[in-house]
Every structure is written in C-alpha cells, then in structure tokens.
Amino acid sequence: MTAVWQEQVSLKAYNTFGIDVKARYFTQAHCDDEVREALAQARQRELAVQVIGGGSNLLLTRDIDAVVLHMASRGRRVLSDDGERVVVEAEAGEPWHPFVQWSLAQGYCGLENLSLIPGTVGAAPMQNVGAYGVEVKDVFAGLTALDRETGELRDFDLEACAFGYRDSVFKRNAGRWLILRVRYALSRTLRAHLDYGPVRQRLLEQGVEQPSAQAISDAICSIRREKLPDPSELGNAGSFFKNPVVSAGLVERIRARYPGVVAYPQADGQVKLAAGWLIEQAGWKGYREGDAGVHRLQSLVLVNYGQASGAQVYALAQRIQADILERFGVELEMEPNLY
Ligand SMILES: Cc1cc2nc3c(=O)[nH]c(=O)nc-3n(C[C@H](O)[C@H](O)[C@H](O)COP(=O)(O)OP(=O)(O)OC[C@H]3O[C@@H](n4cnc5c(N)ncnc54)[C@H](O)[C@@H]3O)c2cc1C
C-alpha cells in the first residue's frame, strides 16, 4: 500500500516544545516496508528526509523543507528467556514509557529508572537516554538500523553504538542510520539503583524499604511529575543543556568565587558541573522573554508559554550560553536536536 503524503503540515502537535512550523511533506511509517518506500519516493523526488519519533528532543527553528517521516511502527516481543535473563525487542515507533511499564508488568527489571521519559523506543539510543543513575547503554542488547546511504540493514551491538553521555554513533552521524527496532537485556532479579537524587528518600517516605522494580518506577514517576513541566501543559524538551565536563583547575577557580558549586569528579580527572546550578546562579531561573522562558523551578528546562517561535527559544538559549561562558568560563552544549 502506498503511504499517504500530506503537504504543508503543521508540526505543532509533533514536538513537545509545541513550536508551530510546517513540514513541506509529512508521512508516517508503520513497518520496514513503509520506511523503505518513503525513502525511495523521497529520493525519486530529490527531497531530503527528516525522521522524527515523539518530537521530545527537537527544537524546530524554521519550516522543514523536506519530507518529515514520523516513526509509527508498533510491536514488542520476548526474544529469549533463560529464566533469569530476558531479551526483549520493540519497534522504533513504540512509545517509550508504555514500553517500560509493559516490561515491568512482565516482571522484567532494568528499565525502571528510565520511567516517564517521553519519546519513542527508536530515539532512545540516539542520545543514550539516561535518568536517575541509569542509561540505555546499561541494559542495551542490540539494535537493527537501516543504512540510509546503502539501503542495507545492520545490527549494532553495544560497542558499535559508541554510547557516551547523551551521545552515540547515531547522534554523531545524524541522518545516516534509521533505527528500526531495539533490544534490551532485562533481568528477573532486581539490581536496584537508588542512590541518585531523592529516589531512596522518596521510597522511605512511602514506607518502602525493599522496593520492587515497579515501586522504584512509581517513585521516579512521582518525583518527575513534581520536578518537570508536563509538555502537554507547558511546551519544553526536558533538560535543554548537557551538564558540562570541565578541567579540575577551572572548577577550583569557580569554587574560589562560588564555594557552593555543584561538581562531580569523573574517573578521568575531569569534573562534571550541574548546568542547572550555573544557570540559576547567573539569575536566569524563571526568566521570561515574550513566550520563551526558563522554567520557574528548573533552570535547566527552557519553556514555550504558548506562541514562542523556535528561533526565539534558540535566541534565549544562545544568550544563556554567552552569559555562562562570560561568568564561569564554561561552554554549555545544547541537548535537543536543532533544525
Ligand atoms: C519533559 C521531558 C523530560 C525528558 N527527560 C529526559 C531524561 O530524563 N533523560 C533523557 O535522556 N532525555 C530526556 N528527555 C529528552 C527526550 O525525551 C529523549 O531524548 C527521547 O529519547 C527523544 O525521543 P523522541 O522519540 O521524542 O525523539 P525525537 O525528538 O523525535 O527525535 C530526536 C532525534 O532522534 C532522531 N530520531 C528519532 N527517531 C529515530 C529513529 N527511529 N531512527 C533514527 N533517528 C531517529 C531524530 O531525527 C532527532 O534527531 C526529556 C524530554 C522531555 C520533554
């Protein structure tokens, strides 16, 4: 069946910032054949293709003069189960949080700390999504991607993905690989990660001393709901800047002026700084410029109060970057993908 191509489609409902730009063409892929067909048609018509999932890691600053291909494939399955280790696979278009909840309902542990992250299964490896001390790479068992240059399918193992902090081979070669399905190695025995942020404290407040994976997920969902704005109510893309990793010497110079600097020493001698802390110290928390702003509770989250354009949000982000560089000598890198 030939997939429908719509023309001049607003992407407002397809990005969590709620930015109203238009795609020249818009189509959806529910299976591998529809992906291949969309790519072939685009090639024939000499059009670029922009793949999107849930649109929760995008900042759209202009109309997209291309075919926007929305991944809408569905399906999740158990590939192997030895009674302890269970390998599951899901199609790229599966919404991430329902996939996590499905795995927990089966009694499979490993994804609980990654609960309530918006977006799709296919995009999660792009930036090695992470939260509360766990990243995709910690439970990753492989993925299948289509090489858009050669049209061939390729399986990637952990090493081939070259995962880093909010980074992967897919992010570094944007547009080359189209991820079709992803596999995770989960476990029937819980190895709880409770030491990051207020997770353990939240569980203790609830009277839970020996939490199940579902209890950890529930606690993390409740913390996230308090901390982060819900994109259905206030447009945003989660953390807007990565936490910068800088030299120990620079941290000492910052500490001399700001004794409370939030800093985490890394194994290689460098130090990770909390970008949110730097932005808050610089006085940006709650700042608003038209409909673009910095969230009033979370300095790391830029928001769209309704009618902000992507260019306005980007201009605000650049002003914050310049200010942080001037004040602290630290370069902030954007986390969302800019178009
Ligand atoms: C409220 C909120 C909280 C968030 N919290 C977190 C968090 O805790 N941790 C975290 O890491 N992130 C977080 N994010 C960011 C975001 O949810 C993740 O990066 C998510 O994985 C993006 O998925 P998506 O489907 O929305 O991707 P999109 O935004 O649609 O796409 C992101 C990028 O991936 C590419 N892409 C999408 N699908 C595919 C595919 N199948 N194959 C190849 N390329 C593809 C796109 O071209 C684009 O470059 C948060 C975002 C929001 C709004």
Side-chain angles (χ1 to χ4, degrees), residues 16 50-58 71 92 117-120 122-124 126-127 129-131 166 177-179 224 229 231 236-238 337 339:
T16 59
Q50 180 57 55
V51 177
I52 62 165
S56 61
N57 206 19
L58 303 178
M71 293 303 290
I117 297 179
T120 56
M126 281 294 292
Q127 69 155 8
V129 299
R166 299 297 171 274
W177 302 100
L178 201 159
I179 297 169
R224 291 183 68 104
N236 75 92
N337 300 275
Y339 295 101

PDB file of all heavy atoms in Angstrom, residues 16 50-58 71 92 117-120 122-124 126-127 129-131 166 177-179 224 229 231 236-238 337 339, ligand 1:
ATOM      1  N   THR A  16       7.316  18.403  21.427  1.00  0.00           N
ATOM      2  CA  THR A  16       6.833  18.718  22.777  1.00  0.00           C
ATOM      3  C   THR A  16       7.070  20.178  23.166  1.00  0.00           C
ATOM      4  O   THR A  16       6.507  20.647  24.145  1.00  0.00           O
ATOM      5  CB  THR A  16       7.499  17.797  23.833  1.00  0.00           C
ATOM      6  OG1 THR A  16       8.919  17.976  23.752  1.00  0.00           O
ATOM      7  CG2 THR A  16       7.141  16.335  23.609  1.00  0.00           C
ATOM      8  N   GLN A  50      13.532  13.917   6.939  1.00  0.00           N
ATOM      9  CA  GLN A  50      13.802  14.162   8.362  1.00  0.00           C
ATOM     10  C   GLN A  50      12.963  13.195   9.206  1.00  0.00           C
ATOM     11  O   GLN A  50      11.734  13.264   9.171  1.00  0.00           O
ATOM     12  CB  GLN A  50      13.468  15.617   8.697  1.00  0.00           C
ATOM     13  CG  GLN A  50      13.708  15.967  10.149  1.00  0.00           C
ATOM     14  CD  GLN A  50      15.142  15.696  10.556  1.00  0.00           C
ATOM     15  OE1 GLN A  50      16.077  16.192   9.939  1.00  0.00           O
ATOM     16  NE2 GLN A  50      15.325  14.862  11.572  1.00  0.00           N
ATOM     17  N   VAL A  51      13.647  12.309   9.925  1.00  0.00           N
ATOM     18  CA  VAL A  51      12.939  11.309  10.742  1.00  0.00           C
ATOM     19  C   VAL A  51      12.582  11.916  12.097  1.00  0.00           C
ATOM     20  O   VAL A  51      13.397  12.611  12.702  1.00  0.00           O
ATOM     21  CB  VAL A  51      13.842  10.075  10.966  1.00  0.00           C
ATOM     22  CG1 VAL A  51      13.171   9.045  11.867  1.00  0.00           C
ATOM     23  CG2 VAL A  51      14.205   9.446   9.628  1.00  0.00           C
ATOM     24  N   ILE A  52      11.359  11.675  12.571  1.00  0.00           N
ATOM     25  CA  ILE A  52      11.018  12.062  13.954  1.00  0.00           C
ATOM     26  C   ILE A  52      10.290  10.919  14.659  1.00  0.00           C
ATOM     27  O   ILE A  52       9.662  10.072  14.008  1.00  0.00           O
ATOM     28  CB  ILE A  52      10.178  13.363  14.058  1.00  0.00           C
ATOM     29  CG1 ILE A  52       8.825  13.215  13.359  1.00  0.00           C
ATOM     30  CG2 ILE A  52      10.925  14.564  13.551  1.00  0.00           C
ATOM     31  CD1 ILE A  52       7.838  14.310  13.755  1.00  0.00           C
ATOM     32  N   GLY A  53      10.411  10.926  15.976  1.00  0.00           N
ATOM     33  CA  GLY A  53       9.659   9.986  16.798  1.00  0.00           C
ATOM     34  C   GLY A  53       8.606  10.778  17.565  1.00  0.00           C
ATOM     35  O   GLY A  53       7.654  11.295  16.985  1.00  0.00           O
ATOM     36  N   GLY A  54       8.819  10.912  18.878  1.00  0.00           N
ATOM     37  CA  GLY A  54       7.867  11.661  19.699  1.00  0.00           C
ATOM     38  C   GLY A  54       8.106  13.162  19.679  1.00  0.00           C
ATOM     39  O   GLY A  54       7.345  13.919  20.289  1.00  0.00           O
ATOM     40  N   GLY A  55       9.174  13.621  19.031  1.00  0.00           N
ATOM     41  CA  GLY A  55       9.454  15.060  18.960  1.00  0.00           C
ATOM     42  C   GLY A  55       9.775  15.683  20.311  1.00  0.00           C
ATOM     43  O   GLY A  55       9.589  16.890  20.501  1.00  0.00           O
ATOM     44  N   SER A  56      10.307  14.876  21.250  1.00  0.00           N
ATOM     45  CA  SER A  56      10.573  15.421  22.593  1.00  0.00           C
ATOM     46  C   SER A  56      12.027  15.835  22.785  1.00  0.00           C
ATOM     47  O   SER A  56      12.418  16.224  23.881  1.00  0.00           O
ATOM     48  CB  SER A  56      10.185  14.393  23.662  1.00  0.00           C
ATOM     49  OG  SER A  56      10.955  13.210  23.522  1.00  0.00           O
ATOM     50  N   ASN A  57      12.802  15.750  21.708  1.00  0.00           N
ATOM     51  CA  ASN A  57      14.198  16.188  21.809  1.00  0.00           C
ATOM     52  C   ASN A  57      14.561  17.035  20.597  1.00  0.00           C
ATOM     53  O   ASN A  57      15.650  16.924  20.055  1.00  0.00           O
ATOM     54  CB  ASN A  57      15.122  14.972  21.938  1.00  0.00           C
ATOM     55  CG  ASN A  57      16.407  15.314  22.660  1.00  0.00           C
ATOM     56  OD1 ASN A  57      16.485  16.329  23.354  1.00  0.00           O
ATOM     57  ND2 ASN A  57      17.414  14.504  22.490  1.00  0.00           N
ATOM     58  N   LEU A  58      13.619  17.882  20.188  1.00  0.00           N
ATOM     59  CA  LEU A  58      13.792  18.714  18.996  1.00  0.00           C
ATOM     60  C   LEU A  58      13.586  20.175  19.343  1.00  0.00           C
ATOM     61  O   LEU A  58      12.723  20.506  20.170  1.00  0.00           O
ATOM     62  CB  LEU A  58      12.723  18.379  17.945  1.00  0.00           C
ATOM     63  CG  LEU A  58      12.580  16.949  17.427  1.00  0.00           C
ATOM     64  CD1 LEU A  58      11.418  16.902  16.432  1.00  0.00           C
ATOM     65  CD2 LEU A  58      13.875  16.504  16.773  1.00  0.00           C
ATOM     66  N   MET A  71       7.941   8.034  12.739  1.00  0.00           N
ATOM     67  CA  MET A  71       8.018   6.596  13.001  1.00  0.00           C
ATOM     68  C   MET A  71       6.806   6.164  13.830  1.00  0.00           C
ATOM     69  O   MET A  71       6.625   6.605  14.964  1.00  0.00           O
ATOM     70  CB  MET A  71       9.321   6.263  13.743  1.00  0.00           C
ATOM     71  CG  MET A  71      10.572   6.474  12.910  1.00  0.00           C
ATOM     72  SD  MET A  71      10.561   5.522  11.362  1.00  0.00           S
ATOM     73  CE  MET A  71      10.746   3.869  12.022  1.00  0.00           C
ATOM     74  N   ALA A  92      10.674   0.728  16.618  1.00  0.00           N
ATOM     75  CA  ALA A  92      11.120   2.112  16.866  1.00  0.00           C
ATOM     76  C   ALA A  92       9.990   3.059  17.271  1.00  0.00           C
ATOM     77  O   ALA A  92      10.187   3.950  18.087  1.00  0.00           O
ATOM     78  CB  ALA A  92      11.818   2.649  15.618  1.00  0.00           C
ATOM     79  N   ILE A 117      10.203   8.964  30.736  1.00  0.00           N
ATOM     80  CA  ILE A 117      10.919   9.770  29.732  1.00  0.00           C
ATOM     81  C   ILE A 117      10.046   9.773  28.484  1.00  0.00           C
ATOM     82  O   ILE A 117       9.618   8.722  28.016  1.00  0.00           O
ATOM     83  CB  ILE A 117      12.312   9.175  29.429  1.00  0.00           C
ATOM     84  CG1 ILE A 117      13.183   9.217  30.698  1.00  0.00           C
ATOM     85  CG2 ILE A 117      12.990   9.933  28.287  1.00  0.00           C
ATOM     86  CD1 ILE A 117      14.584   8.640  30.522  1.00  0.00           C
ATOM     87  N   PRO A 118       9.729  10.945  27.945  1.00  0.00           N
ATOM     88  CA  PRO A 118       8.882  10.982  26.747  1.00  0.00           C
ATOM     89  C   PRO A 118       9.621  10.414  25.533  1.00  0.00           C
ATOM     90  O   PRO A 118      10.831  10.178  25.581  1.00  0.00           O
ATOM     91  CB  PRO A 118       8.607  12.479  26.539  1.00  0.00           C
ATOM     92  CG  PRO A 118       9.046  13.152  27.779  1.00  0.00           C
ATOM     93  CD  PRO A 118      10.097  12.282  28.406  1.00  0.00           C
ATOM     94  N   GLY A 119       8.898  10.212  24.444  1.00  0.00           N
ATOM     95  CA  GLY A 119       9.554   9.822  23.194  1.00  0.00           C
ATOM     96  C   GLY A 119       9.347   8.356  22.870  1.00  0.00           C
ATOM     97  O   GLY A 119       8.522   7.664  23.475  1.00  0.00           O
ATOM     98  N   THR A 120      10.141   7.891  21.907  1.00  0.00           N
ATOM     99  CA  THR A 120       9.957   6.561  21.343  1.00  0.00           C
ATOM    100  C   THR A 120      11.149   5.643  21.635  1.00  0.00           C
ATOM    101  O   THR A 120      12.250   6.114  21.944  1.00  0.00           O
ATOM    102  CB  THR A 120       9.809   6.671  19.812  1.00  0.00           C
ATOM    103  OG1 THR A 120      10.960   7.362  19.303  1.00  0.00           O
ATOM    104  CG2 THR A 120       8.538   7.387  19.403  1.00  0.00           C
ATOM    105  N   GLY A 122      12.753   3.990  19.384  1.00  0.00           N
ATOM    106  CA  GLY A 122      13.764   4.157  18.339  1.00  0.00           C
ATOM    107  C   GLY A 122      14.699   5.318  18.577  1.00  0.00           C
ATOM    108  O   GLY A 122      15.854   5.295  18.137  1.00  0.00           O
ATOM    109  N   ALA A 123      14.239   6.338  19.274  1.00  0.00           N
ATOM    110  CA  ALA A 123      15.096   7.511  19.509  1.00  0.00           C
ATOM    111  C   ALA A 123      15.929   7.360  20.774  1.00  0.00           C
ATOM    112  O   ALA A 123      16.932   8.056  20.930  1.00  0.00           O
ATOM    113  CB  ALA A 123      14.243   8.776  19.615  1.00  0.00           C
ATOM    114  N   ALA A 124      15.544   6.453  21.677  1.00  0.00           N
ATOM    115  CA  ALA A 124      16.248   6.367  22.975  1.00  0.00           C
ATOM    116  C   ALA A 124      17.755   6.128  22.827  1.00  0.00           C
ATOM    117  O   ALA A 124      18.547   6.751  23.545  1.00  0.00           O
ATOM    118  CB  ALA A 124      15.596   5.305  23.855  1.00  0.00           C
ATOM    119  N   MET A 126      19.616   7.142  20.437  1.00  0.00           N
ATOM    120  CA  MET A 126      20.227   8.307  19.774  1.00  0.00           C
ATOM    121  C   MET A 126      21.109   9.084  20.741  1.00  0.00           C
ATOM    122  O   MET A 126      22.245   9.405  20.434  1.00  0.00           O
ATOM    123  CB  MET A 126      19.141   9.261  19.245  1.00  0.00           C
ATOM    124  CG  MET A 126      18.492   8.869  17.973  1.00  0.00           C
ATOM    125  SD  MET A 126      19.618   8.894  16.588  1.00  0.00           S
ATOM    126  CE  MET A 126      19.960  10.634  16.411  1.00  0.00           C
ATOM    127  N   GLN A 127      20.542   9.433  21.895  1.00  0.00           N
ATOM    128  CA  GLN A 127      21.356  10.200  22.850  1.00  0.00           C
ATOM    129  C   GLN A 127      21.588   9.372  24.120  1.00  0.00           C
ATOM    130  O   GLN A 127      21.852   9.919  25.180  1.00  0.00           O
ATOM    131  CB  GLN A 127      20.740  11.558  23.145  1.00  0.00           C
ATOM    132  CG  GLN A 127      19.458  11.565  23.935  1.00  0.00           C
ATOM    133  CD  GLN A 127      19.258  12.887  24.682  1.00  0.00           C
ATOM    134  OE1 GLN A 127      19.994  13.841  24.495  1.00  0.00           O
ATOM    135  NE2 GLN A 127      18.252  12.942  25.548  1.00  0.00           N
ATOM    136  N   VAL A 129      19.637   7.737  26.263  1.00  0.00           N
ATOM    137  CA  VAL A 129      18.856   8.438  27.285  1.00  0.00           C
ATOM    138  C   VAL A 129      19.199   7.896  28.670  1.00  0.00           C
ATOM    139  O   VAL A 129      19.511   6.711  28.841  1.00  0.00           O
ATOM    140  CB  VAL A 129      17.317   8.399  27.059  1.00  0.00           C
ATOM    141  CG1 VAL A 129      16.900   9.055  25.769  1.00  0.00           C
ATOM    142  CG2 VAL A 129      16.764   7.007  27.198  1.00  0.00           C
ATOM    143  N   GLY A 130      19.139   8.779  29.617  1.00  0.00           N
ATOM    144  CA  GLY A 130      19.515   8.407  30.969  1.00  0.00           C
ATOM    145  C   GLY A 130      18.743   9.196  31.997  1.00  0.00           C
ATOM    146  O   GLY A 130      18.282  10.310  31.719  1.00  0.00           O
ATOM    147  N   ALA A 131      18.573   8.591  33.167  1.00  0.00           N
ATOM    148  CA  ALA A 131      17.923   9.291  34.280  1.00  0.00           C
ATOM    149  C   ALA A 131      18.174   8.501  35.559  1.00  0.00           C
ATOM    150  O   ALA A 131      18.224   7.268  35.533  1.00  0.00           O
ATOM    151  CB  ALA A 131      16.424   9.414  34.032  1.00  0.00           C
ATOM    152  N   ARG A 166      24.784  11.309  26.827  1.00  0.00           N
ATOM    153  CA  ARG A 166      23.794  11.863  25.864  1.00  0.00           C
ATOM    154  C   ARG A 166      24.368  11.862  24.440  1.00  0.00           C
ATOM    155  O   ARG A 166      24.237  12.840  23.698  1.00  0.00           O
ATOM    156  CB  ARG A 166      23.387  13.297  26.259  1.00  0.00           C
ATOM    157  CG  ARG A 166      22.735  13.429  27.580  1.00  0.00           C
ATOM    158  CD  ARG A 166      21.402  12.675  27.685  1.00  0.00           C
ATOM    159  NE  ARG A 166      20.940  12.666  29.046  1.00  0.00           N
ATOM    160  CZ  ARG A 166      21.307  11.765  29.954  1.00  0.00           C
ATOM    161  NH1 ARG A 166      22.104  10.757  29.627  1.00  0.00           N
ATOM    162  NH2 ARG A 166      20.870  11.840  31.181  1.00  0.00           N
ATOM    163  N   TRP A 177      21.776   6.697   9.986  1.00  0.00           N
ATOM    164  CA  TRP A 177      21.146   5.449  10.401  1.00  0.00           C
ATOM    165  C   TRP A 177      19.709   5.682  10.812  1.00  0.00           C
ATOM    166  O   TRP A 177      19.424   6.565  11.613  1.00  0.00           O
ATOM    167  CB  TRP A 177      21.917   4.845  11.587  1.00  0.00           C
ATOM    168  CG  TRP A 177      23.346   4.591  11.271  1.00  0.00           C
ATOM    169  CD1 TRP A 177      24.408   5.366  11.613  1.00  0.00           C
ATOM    170  CD2 TRP A 177      23.869   3.499  10.516  1.00  0.00           C
ATOM    171  NE1 TRP A 177      25.559   4.823  11.124  1.00  0.00           N
ATOM    172  CE2 TRP A 177      25.257   3.665  10.453  1.00  0.00           C
ATOM    173  CE3 TRP A 177      23.289   2.379   9.911  1.00  0.00           C
ATOM    174  CZ2 TRP A 177      26.084   2.786   9.791  1.00  0.00           C
ATOM    175  CZ3 TRP A 177      24.102   1.490   9.259  1.00  0.00           C
ATOM    176  CH2 TRP A 177      25.485   1.696   9.201  1.00  0.00           C
ATOM    177  N   LEU A 178      18.822   4.874  10.294  1.00  0.00           N
ATOM    178  CA  LEU A 178      17.427   4.942  10.729  1.00  0.00           C
ATOM    179  C   LEU A 178      17.177   3.700  11.598  1.00  0.00           C
ATOM    180  O   LEU A 178      17.249   2.561  11.113  1.00  0.00           O
ATOM    181  CB  LEU A 178      16.503   4.961   9.506  1.00  0.00           C
ATOM    182  CG  LEU A 178      15.114   5.523   9.745  1.00  0.00           C
ATOM    183  CD1 LEU A 178      14.485   5.970   8.446  1.00  0.00           C
ATOM    184  CD2 LEU A 178      14.225   4.536  10.449  1.00  0.00           C
ATOM    185  N   ILE A 179      16.943   3.932  12.866  1.00  0.00           N
ATOM    186  CA  ILE A 179      16.799   2.821  13.819  1.00  0.00           C
ATOM    187  C   ILE A 179      15.398   2.218  13.673  1.00  0.00           C
ATOM    188  O   ILE A 179      14.388   2.936  13.742  1.00  0.00           O
ATOM    189  CB  ILE A 179      17.054   3.323  15.261  1.00  0.00           C
ATOM    190  CG1 ILE A 179      18.499   3.826  15.381  1.00  0.00           C
ATOM    191  CG2 ILE A 179      16.769   2.221  16.281  1.00  0.00           C
ATOM    192  CD1 ILE A 179      18.827   4.578  16.641  1.00  0.00           C
ATOM    193  N   ARG A 224       9.427  12.895  39.111  1.00  0.00           N
ATOM    194  CA  ARG A 224       9.488  13.595  37.817  1.00  0.00           C
ATOM    195  C   ARG A 224       8.266  14.498  37.622  1.00  0.00           C
ATOM    196  O   ARG A 224       8.386  15.598  37.072  1.00  0.00           O
ATOM    197  CB  ARG A 224       9.606  12.589  36.667  1.00  0.00           C
ATOM    198  CG  ARG A 224      10.947  11.856  36.630  1.00  0.00           C
ATOM    199  CD  ARG A 224      11.018  10.940  35.423  1.00  0.00           C
ATOM    200  NE  ARG A 224      11.060  11.700  34.205  1.00  0.00           N
ATOM    201  CZ  ARG A 224      12.163  11.893  33.456  1.00  0.00           C
ATOM    202  NH1 ARG A 224      13.307  11.341  33.814  1.00  0.00           N
ATOM    203  NH2 ARG A 224      12.124  12.606  32.365  1.00  0.00           N
ATOM    204  N   PRO A 229       8.095  20.131  34.044  1.00  0.00           N
ATOM    205  CA  PRO A 229       6.816  20.536  33.471  1.00  0.00           C
ATOM    206  C   PRO A 229       6.301  19.489  32.480  1.00  0.00           C
ATOM    207  O   PRO A 229       7.085  18.918  31.729  1.00  0.00           O
ATOM    208  CB  PRO A 229       7.149  21.854  32.758  1.00  0.00           C
ATOM    209  CG  PRO A 229       8.618  21.832  32.539  1.00  0.00           C
ATOM    210  CD  PRO A 229       9.209  20.976  33.616  1.00  0.00           C
ATOM    211  N   PRO A 231       4.834  18.443  29.168  1.00  0.00           N
ATOM    212  CA  PRO A 231       4.774  19.116  27.860  1.00  0.00           C
ATOM    213  C   PRO A 231       3.347  19.334  27.352  1.00  0.00           C
ATOM    214  O   PRO A 231       3.132  20.248  26.554  1.00  0.00           O
ATOM    215  CB  PRO A 231       5.522  18.156  26.922  1.00  0.00           C
ATOM    216  CG  PRO A 231       6.358  17.313  27.805  1.00  0.00           C
ATOM    217  CD  PRO A 231       5.641  17.211  29.116  1.00  0.00           C
ATOM    218  N   ASN A 236       8.098  22.097  26.280  1.00  0.00           N
ATOM    219  CA  ASN A 236       9.513  22.008  26.659  1.00  0.00           C
ATOM    220  C   ASN A 236      10.110  20.738  26.079  1.00  0.00           C
ATOM    221  O   ASN A 236       9.388  19.882  25.571  1.00  0.00           O
ATOM    222  CB  ASN A 236       9.661  22.038  28.195  1.00  0.00           C
ATOM    223  CG  ASN A 236       9.264  20.726  28.863  1.00  0.00           C
ATOM    224  OD1 ASN A 236      10.094  19.861  29.085  1.00  0.00           O
ATOM    225  ND2 ASN A 236       7.979  20.556  29.166  1.00  0.00           N
ATOM    226  N   ALA A 237      11.436  20.618  26.146  1.00  0.00           N
ATOM    227  CA  ALA A 237      12.118  19.410  25.647  1.00  0.00           C
ATOM    228  C   ALA A 237      12.974  18.798  26.753  1.00  0.00           C
ATOM    229  O   ALA A 237      14.033  18.247  26.500  1.00  0.00           O
ATOM    230  CB  ALA A 237      12.963  19.734  24.423  1.00  0.00           C
ATOM    231  N   GLY A 238      12.527  18.924  28.005  1.00  0.00           N
ATOM    232  CA  GLY A 238      13.311  18.398  29.126  1.00  0.00           C
ATOM    233  C   GLY A 238      14.564  19.239  29.314  1.00  0.00           C
ATOM    234  O   GLY A 238      14.574  20.450  29.022  1.00  0.00           O
ATOM    235  N   ASN A 337      18.017  18.363  19.515  1.00  0.00           N
ATOM    236  CA  ASN A 337      18.499  18.455  18.130  1.00  0.00           C
ATOM    237  C   ASN A 337      17.859  19.685  17.490  1.00  0.00           C
ATOM    238  O   ASN A 337      16.646  19.856  17.521  1.00  0.00           O
ATOM    239  CB  ASN A 337      18.102  17.189  17.376  1.00  0.00           C
ATOM    240  CG  ASN A 337      18.711  15.958  18.015  1.00  0.00           C
ATOM    241  OD1 ASN A 337      19.843  15.600  17.722  1.00  0.00           O
ATOM    242  ND2 ASN A 337      17.988  15.337  18.942  1.00  0.00           N
ATOM    243  N   TYR A 339      16.827  22.142  14.417  1.00  0.00           N
ATOM    244  CA  TYR A 339      16.515  22.157  12.975  1.00  0.00           C
ATOM    245  C   TYR A 339      16.031  23.533  12.561  1.00  0.00           C
ATOM    246  O   TYR A 339      15.448  24.244  13.334  1.00  0.00           O
ATOM    247  CB  TYR A 339      15.450  21.111  12.641  1.00  0.00           C
ATOM    248  CG  TYR A 339      15.952  19.713  12.886  1.00  0.00           C
ATOM    249  CD1 TYR A 339      15.586  19.039  14.048  1.00  0.00           C
ATOM    250  CD2 TYR A 339      16.829  19.103  12.006  1.00  0.00           C
ATOM    251  CE1 TYR A 339      16.072  17.754  14.299  1.00  0.00           C
ATOM    252  CE2 TYR A 339      17.321  17.820  12.252  1.00  0.00           C
ATOM    253  CZ  TYR A 339      16.930  17.166  13.393  1.00  0.00           C
ATOM    254  OH  TYR A 339      17.423  15.915  13.648  1.00  0.00           O
TER     255      TYR A 339
HETATM  256  C1  LIG B   1       9.647  16.509  29.907  1.00  0.00           C
HETATM  257  C2  LIG B   1      10.835  15.834  29.274  1.00  0.00           C
HETATM  258  C3  LIG B   1      11.694  15.082  30.063  1.00  0.00           C
HETATM  259  C4  LIG B   1      12.803  14.433  29.482  1.00  0.00           C
HETATM  260  N1  LIG B   1      13.618  13.710  30.292  1.00  0.00           N
HETATM  261  C5  LIG B   1      14.701  13.073  29.762  1.00  0.00           C
HETATM  262  C6  LIG B   1      15.575  12.309  30.605  1.00  0.00           C
HETATM  263  O1  LIG B   1      15.347  12.152  31.814  1.00  0.00           O
HETATM  264  N2  LIG B   1      16.659  11.740  30.038  1.00  0.00           N
HETATM  265  C7  LIG B   1      16.933  11.851  28.713  1.00  0.00           C
HETATM  266  O2  LIG B   1      17.948  11.298  28.264  1.00  0.00           O
HETATM  267  N3  LIG B   1      16.118  12.567  27.891  1.00  0.00           N
HETATM  268  C8  LIG B   1      15.017  13.177  28.377  1.00  0.00           C
HETATM  269  N4  LIG B   1      14.190  13.915  27.558  1.00  0.00           N
HETATM  270  C9  LIG B   1      14.525  14.037  26.121  1.00  0.00           C
HETATM  271  C10 LIG B   1      13.752  13.049  25.206  1.00  0.00           C
HETATM  272  O3  LIG B   1      12.589  12.588  25.836  1.00  0.00           O
HETATM  273  C11 LIG B   1      14.599  11.838  24.789  1.00  0.00           C
HETATM  274  O4  LIG B   1      15.778  12.264  24.149  1.00  0.00           O
HETATM  275  C12 LIG B   1      13.841  10.891  23.862  1.00  0.00           C
HETATM  276  O5  LIG B   1      14.573   9.704  23.669  1.00  0.00           O
HETATM  277  C13 LIG B   1      13.528  11.512  22.497  1.00  0.00           C
HETATM  278  O6  LIG B   1      12.669  10.618  21.808  1.00  0.00           O
HETATM  279  P1  LIG B   1      11.728  11.120  20.632  1.00  0.00           P
HETATM  280  O7  LIG B   1      11.085   9.902  20.035  1.00  0.00           O
HETATM  281  O8  LIG B   1      10.814  12.160  21.124  1.00  0.00           O
HETATM  282  O9  LIG B   1      12.802  11.710  19.606  1.00  0.00           O
HETATM  283  P2  LIG B   1      12.632  12.940  18.609  1.00  0.00           P
HETATM  284  O10 LIG B   1      12.636  14.207  19.405  1.00  0.00           O
HETATM  285  O11 LIG B   1      11.502  12.706  17.692  1.00  0.00           O
HETATM  286  O12 LIG B   1      13.983  12.818  17.798  1.00  0.00           O
HETATM  287  C14 LIG B   1      15.218  13.081  18.440  1.00  0.00           C
HETATM  288  C15 LIG B   1      16.333  12.800  17.423  1.00  0.00           C
HETATM  289  O13 LIG B   1      16.354  11.411  17.108  1.00  0.00           O
HETATM  290  C16 LIG B   1      16.150  11.201  15.713  1.00  0.00           C
HETATM  291  N5  LIG B   1      15.314  10.003  15.597  1.00  0.00           N
HETATM  292  C17 LIG B   1      14.086   9.799  16.127  1.00  0.00           C
HETATM  293  N6  LIG B   1      13.672   8.547  15.863  1.00  0.00           N
HETATM  294  C18 LIG B   1      14.661   7.951  15.148  1.00  0.00           C
HETATM  295  C19 LIG B   1      14.835   6.650  14.580  1.00  0.00           C
HETATM  296  N7  LIG B   1      13.915   5.688  14.705  1.00  0.00           N
HETATM  297  N8  LIG B   1      15.985   6.398  13.906  1.00  0.00           N
HETATM  298  C20 LIG B   1      16.944   7.343  13.762  1.00  0.00           C
HETATM  299  N9  LIG B   1      16.828   8.592  14.277  1.00  0.00           N
HETATM  300  C21 LIG B   1      15.708   8.885  14.972  1.00  0.00           C
HETATM  301  C22 LIG B   1      15.510  12.465  15.188  1.00  0.00           C
HETATM  302  O14 LIG B   1      15.818  12.665  13.837  1.00  0.00           O
HETATM  303  C23 LIG B   1      16.129  13.524  16.092  1.00  0.00           C
HETATM  304  O15 LIG B   1      17.395  13.880  15.612  1.00  0.00           O
HETATM  305  C24 LIG B   1      13.067  14.565  28.096  1.00  0.00           C
HETATM  306  C25 LIG B   1      12.183  15.327  27.302  1.00  0.00           C
HETATM  307  C26 LIG B   1      11.081  15.949  27.882  1.00  0.00           C
HETATM  308  C27 LIG B   1      10.136  16.739  27.016  1.00  0.00           C
END
